[in-house]
Amino acid sequence: MAQTTVAKQIEALRETIRYHEHLYYVLDTPEISDAEFDALMRELQALEKQHPELVTPDSPTQRVGGKPKEGFAKVPHSRAMLSLDNVTSEEELRDWDRRVRQLAGPGEEISYVCEYKLDGLSMALRYQEASDGAARLVMGLTRGDGMVGEDVTTNVRTIRSVPLSISAAKLKKAHLPANFEVRGEVVMPLAAFQKANEEREAQGLAPAANPRNFAAGTIRTLEPNIVAQRRLDFYAYFALTPTGENLFTEQSEALDALTAAGFRVNPHREAILSFNKLMDYINRAEQDRAALGYEIDGVVIKVSSTALQQRLGYTGRAPRWAVAYKFTARAGITQVEEIRVQVGRTGKLTPVAVLTPVSIGGTTVSRATLHNADEIERLGLLIGDWVKVERGGDVIPKVVEVVDDKEHPRGHKKFQFPRHCPDCGSDIVRTEGEADYRCVNADCPARLRESLLHFASRGVMNIEGLGEAVVAQLLDRKLVRSIADLYKLDMAALLSLERIGEKTARSLLHEIEESKKAPLNRVLFGLGIRFVGERTAQLLAEEFGSMDAILSASQEELERVNEVGPKVSQSIREFFDEEKNRQLVEHLRKAGLTFTAEKRKKSSQLEGLTFVLTGTLPNLTREDAKAKIEAAGGRVSGSVSKKTSYVVAGEEAGSKLDKAHELKVPVIDEAKLLEMLE
Ligand code: IVH
């Protein structure tokens, strides 16, 4: 095919993919299935692989690019990114509205635009005109201190609702120039937050407190592929010129233009003329809040007219033309009646406060996690204390502080952390450097119960109907003593349980049977090996291709998997070295579970090549570089000879570099090496 035809074909494919990305990630109304979308992506990837010279940075395949070198560069904002003054009551809002009307002068009709106050972090995106007239994303900047932000472009590019490029035709339709700046909010949807937190817990990490913190932390990680997995979202709310002036004469026009250009703009926006209607909007927002799928912490009210905005101007840190109506935090005050300690599937002991039920944001809360013994210490919590309980983006409420005032006298009884497992009475231990106590008994009934529930849960083996009530009965009657026993259950056994009829029993048996088809990575995840979360299980399955290969892998071999370090590999080894677990695996094999997976194809792009490393590379340690080269089939040698294919030179490279020049061995830098590895 002639080069120009291929180029056209590639560009057409990209436009199609952009169209479907917009439908999927911005409008939530896909027209094609995920499989069809993936097929388009693969087609583009294949074409780009054949024609690497045609790859452009704004191609949909290029969202995850190279890592930022070291840290993020500081870049000044085109115009200060200010915050907003808050009001928290109708009276305060009325005062604000009155002031605006006064400053505007008599006879000025005021139109407000009401928007949700998204609970994330603000971000400025800069677009620049490319040779074909399209607008290309060239920079993503955090708010920083308001004057100077951090350049997080590589991470922002991975957010699927951020267009990497907007065609000239689309810009024209949206009445947008090709050089402009968008400001808006990066948020983490609740579903993504919960999933990422589950993953953290599976890895033994403390869960993040709320989606905003998680989003902010994510945007500042140095691993774009992690950012890509976290599924952040971007909502646009300002359109500015490159020097920070408003692009439109009305805020409502700006929002429409951004929508037309393909940005995600929050649909719950309204133009409002009267004060009463403002209050209606706020009340509706507060009611709808719980069902949104992302967090908002209030409503932002903006004067729509840019001209009036200018006349109203700014106080020191905030505009006079906008205000945030903040919702009251979703917190409540109640009393701690008791502290119980729960045993998780890894044996971890978690103290939980049993509370006098209290309604918080429409939900009755009667328990809150206290995380661990240190946390109880930190709070200074006594049984009988009144406490402030917050319900964040997560479902699990938490105790944030002890209330101590006239109406709320202190409790009296100090909580004694148990010395033995509350379930089986075995010893508990606390490993040096860890906050948690664990039950040492591998056969602890509580552990077995939690293991079964984990194994059966959605996202693991998906055995619908195997919930707490059924599991409790199965354990009580000793019908199940290990995960493998689930596969021995029959009709008679299930019918012997209370509240289980023939129909339920048959459907449960069907679900159990179906679970045998779950892929190896799910089985691995389901075993509940400490530190092996969903993702690690997936990587292990891809790398080793079978349960047996993992079973017999040494710690060293396990660590060849990206993201598996000594802590994880040791935990895997310990798990499989235990006789009981080996038996469990054998029983699962006999039951017919999936024990093989498709192995990721071994890369061999550096097959037959010999590399010598010298000097300090900007990102990779010497070990990293060696591992990557070897994983791709190459060899690393310590000295330069005529047989050396490449010398990879970093900062302060020494005599090896001279030798390379002398022998005319090609010298490359880290970037080039990474390119060869792709
Ligand atoms: S307007 C000068 N609109 O709230 C104008 N901000 O407290 C300031 N926020 O830093 C921004 N949703 O991170 C605006 N629809 C919205 C918003 C919003 C969330 C955040 C933003 C800002 C903070 C101000």
Side-chain angles (χ1 to χ4, degrees):
M1 215 180 307
Q3 192 74 353
T4 50
T5 340
V6 181
K8 276 205 186 118
Q9 190 190 352
I10 287 183
E11 204 30 63
L13 198 47
R14 284 180 189 153
E15 258 326 291
T16 310
I17 291 174
R18 285 185 192 122
Y19 170 77
H20 290 296
E21 274 186 326
H22 181 239
L23 286 177
Y24 188 92
Y25 293 109
V26 176
L27 303 179
D28 301 322
T29 53
E31 279 174 1
I32 59 175
S33 70
D34 291 3
E36 285 167 303
F37 182 81
D38 292 345
L40 288 172
M41 255 328 220
R42 275 198 303 273
E43 191 183 341
L44 177 59
Q45 275 160 349
L47 279 171
E48 288 183 345
K49 201 161 175 204
Q50 282 163 25
H51 302 275
E53 71 286 357
L54 295 177
V55 177
T56 56
D58 67 337
S59 169
T61 60
Q62 303 297 306
R63 283 200 178 265
V64 184
K67 295 183 193 183
K69 279 242 157 57
E70 55 214 37
F72 302 107
K74 298 236 185 325
V75 178
H77 283 295
S78 57
R79 172 168 145 196
M81 266 176 114
L82 300 174
S83 72
L84 293 170
D85 282 333
N86 294 332
V87 295
T88 52
S89 67
E90 181 167 347
E91 289 68 51
E92 285 176 12
L93 184 64
R94 199 181 286 281
D95 286 345
W96 176 80
D97 172 61
R98 217 177 274 133
R99 235 176 6 253
V100 169
R101 290 182 197 276
Q102 221 165 42
L103 289 167
E108 172 95 31
E109 200 191 25
I110 293 179
S111 173
Y112 291 120
V113 173
C114 290
E115 299 167 16
Y116 280 177
K117 187 168 186 310
L118 303 154
D119 201 6
L121 60 144
S122 42
M123 184 74 58
L125 305 181
R126 293 186 186 167
Y127 285 82
Q128 251 171 33
E129 180 163 11
S131 55
D132 57 357
R136 292 274 141 79
L137 174 69
V138 292
M139 191 172 301
L141 269 186
T142 64
R143 177 168 182 270
D145 64 2
M147 303 306 291
V148 176
E150 284 184 308
D151 175 354
V152 290
T153 315
T154 43
N155 288 342
V156 166
R157 287 172 59 89
T158 68
I159 302 175
R160 308 292 225 287
S161 48
V162 169
L164 296 179
S165 120
I166 306 161
S167 71
K170 212 164 193 181
L171 290 170
K172 191 157 171 239
K173 241 185 27 214
H175 305 291
L176 265 181
N179 293 304
F180 65 97
E181 178 170 318
V182 185
R183 290 187 179 178
E185 200 84 352
V186 171
V187 302
M188 180 177 267
L190 289 178
F193 174 67
Q194 269 149 19
K195 187 154 182 289
N197 249 354
E198 276 164 23
E199 182 83 352
R200 280 179 71 81
E201 287 203 78
Q203 291 173 353
L205 300 168
N210 56 52
R212 174 169 35 81
N213 286 358
F214 215 161
T218 301
I219 270 299
R220 299 195 70 260
T221 59
L222 289 165
E223 297 282 344
N225 55 344
I226 290 187
V227 188
Q229 281 161 30
R230 296 265 172 89
R231 295 294 145 122
L232 300 175
D233 225 333
F234 175 79
Y235 287 90
Y237 51 67
F238 281 136
L240 307 176
T241 67
T243 51
E245 307 299 322
N246 268 322
L247 263 171
F248 295 89
T249 54
E250 296 283 336
Q251 169 66 4
S252 45
E253 271 175 41
L255 295 180
D256 291 343
L258 291 169
T259 310
F263 288 94
R264 191 191 265 278
V265 176
N266 197 282
H268 304 273
R269 55 182 192 266
E270 257 171 61
I272 283 173
L273 294 170
S274 76
F275 183 78
N276 289 342
K277 292 248 166 70
L278 283 184
M279 282 318 296
D280 286 349
Y281 177 90
I282 291 167
N283 292 332
R284 259 181 290 130
E286 194 153 14
Q287 264 169 23
D288 295 343
R289 179 184 188 192
L292 283 177
Y294 50 87
E295 293 250 294
I296 62 173
D297 58 345
V299 160
V300 181
I301 301 143
K302 299 173 182 171
V303 167
S304 184
S305 151
T306 306
L308 183 52
Q309 283 183 10
Q310 248 160 20
R311 272 207 286 134
L312 291 168
Y314 297 81
T315 63
R317 56 179 274 278
R320 285 202 191 84
W321 47 265
V323 76
Y325 184 102
K326 290 265 259 188
F327 297 145
T328 39
R330 284 195 286 191
I333 290 177
T334 185
Q335 209 171 6
V336 176
E337 295 178 350
E338 191 190 332
I339 296 175
R340 283 192 201 155
V341 174
Q342 289 180 348
V343 186
R345 69 185 152 87
T346 57
K348 176 180 153 185
L349 271 53
T350 306
V352 174
V354 178
L355 308 165
T356 310
V358 58
S359 171
I360 303 177
T363 306
T364 304
V365 174
S366 52
R367 274 158 184 268
T369 177
L370 293 163
H371 299 299
N372 53 46
D374 289 351
E375 177 68 4
I376 297 177
E377 194 80 5
R378 189 188 69 79
L379 291 164
L381 180 68
L382 302 174
I383 297 166
D385 269 341
W386 290 83
V387 289
K388 186 169 160 196
V389 179
E390 259 181 27
R391 207 161 64 81
D394 217 344
V395 263
I396 312 161
K398 64 181 237 176
V399 172
V400 285
E401 64 185 26
V402 172
V403 182
D404 182 12
D405 56 28
K406 272 207 214 92
E407 290 106 88
H408 303 102
R410 288 299 307 268
H412 40 82
K413 205 166 135 208
K414 203 164 155 57
F415 171 68
Q416 282 293 336
F417 207 88
R419 290 164 196 276
H420 301 281
C421 172
D423 234 87
C424 70
S426 303
D427 287 344
I428 59 174
V429 291
R430 180 173 178 166
T431 310
E432 178 118 355
E434 281 185 19
D436 301 319
Y437 283 97
R438 287 171 197 282
C439 167
V440 294
N441 176 14
D443 297 316
C444 174
R447 288 181 66 171
L448 179 56
R449 181 186 62 228
E450 296 301 317
S451 305
L452 286 166
L453 288 170
H454 166 70
F455 186 79
S457 64
R458 192 172 304 155
V460 190
M461 299 299 275
N462 274 329
I463 307 179
E464 200 155 325
L466 197 64
E468 288 193 28
V470 177
V471 166
Q473 288 197 64
L474 290 172
L475 290 173
D476 254 11
R477 308 203 177 188
K478 309 238 177 327
L479 288 167
V480 166
R481 290 165 206 264
S482 86
I483 289 173
D485 289 347
L486 290 175
Y487 295 94
K488 295 187 186 137
L489 290 172
D490 55 17
M491 203 62 183
L494 290 180
L495 285 176
S496 77
L497 303 181
E498 273 161 44
R499 286 184 302 275
I500 288 212
E502 218 181 295
K503 197 168 151 216
T504 314
R506 191 169 303 126
S507 123
L508 190 50
L509 285 176
H510 175 72
E511 288 283 329
I512 293 175
E513 190 59 32
E514 280 295 297
S515 75
K516 294 181 183 172
K517 295 183 196 151
L520 176 62
N521 54 314
R522 296 289 181 91
V523 181
L524 267 176
F525 180 33
L527 289 177
I529 306 169
R530 213 173 153 213
F531 305 131
V532 177
E534 199 174 343
R535 185 171 157 75
T536 307
Q538 168 107 37
L539 294 172
L540 285 165
E542 278 177 4
E543 174 73 24
F544 290 93
S546 73
M547 183 68 93
D548 291 328
I550 299 168
L551 221 56
S552 59
S554 67
Q555 245 184 277
E556 219 172 33
E557 286 165 333
L558 290 167
E559 282 170 37
R560 268 194 226 138
V561 173
N562 232 343
E563 297 175 34
V564 171
K567 202 171 77 172
V568 183
S569 69
Q570 184 184 347
S571 163
I572 299 173
R573 251 332 338 135
E574 280 173 4
F575 184 90
F576 288 123
D577 286 343
E578 209 171 297
E579 183 50 32
K580 192 175 67 109
N581 293 332
R582 287 186 99 81
Q583 273 178 20
L584 168 64
V585 169
E586 284 322 305
H587 286 137
L588 292 177
R589 185 200 307 276
K590 283 207 195 90
L593 271 71
T594 313
F595 269 33
T596 56
E598 198 158 312
K599 235 173 137 163
R600 196 163 30 83
K601 273 190 244 81
K602 265 248 169 285
S603 9
S604 57
Q605 62 270 49
L606 302 187
E607 196 74 64
L609 300 178
T610 304
F611 292 77
V612 173
L613 303 167
T614 176
T616 314
L617 301 178
N619 298 298
L620 298 173
T621 64
R622 204 167 270 236
E623 290 71 43
D624 285 345
K626 183 164 186 277
K628 279 188 193 292
I629 292 170
E630 288 175 348
R635 240 172 51 80
V636 175
S637 153
S639 57
V640 184
S641 75
K642 271 193 199 143
K643 289 201 189 118
T644 309
S645 322
Y646 294 97
V647 168
V648 187
E651 203 121 322
E652 287 174 30
S655 60
K656 290 178 192 165
L657 185 57
D658 301 335
K659 185 88 190 229
H661 289 315
E662 191 185 308
L663 296 175
K664 299 214 162 51
V665 173
V667 177
I668 60 172
D669 61 4
E670 180 192 88
K672 178 74 195 168
L673 172 67
L674 290 174
E675 212 173 277
M676 291 169 75
L677 283 164
E678 262 178 24

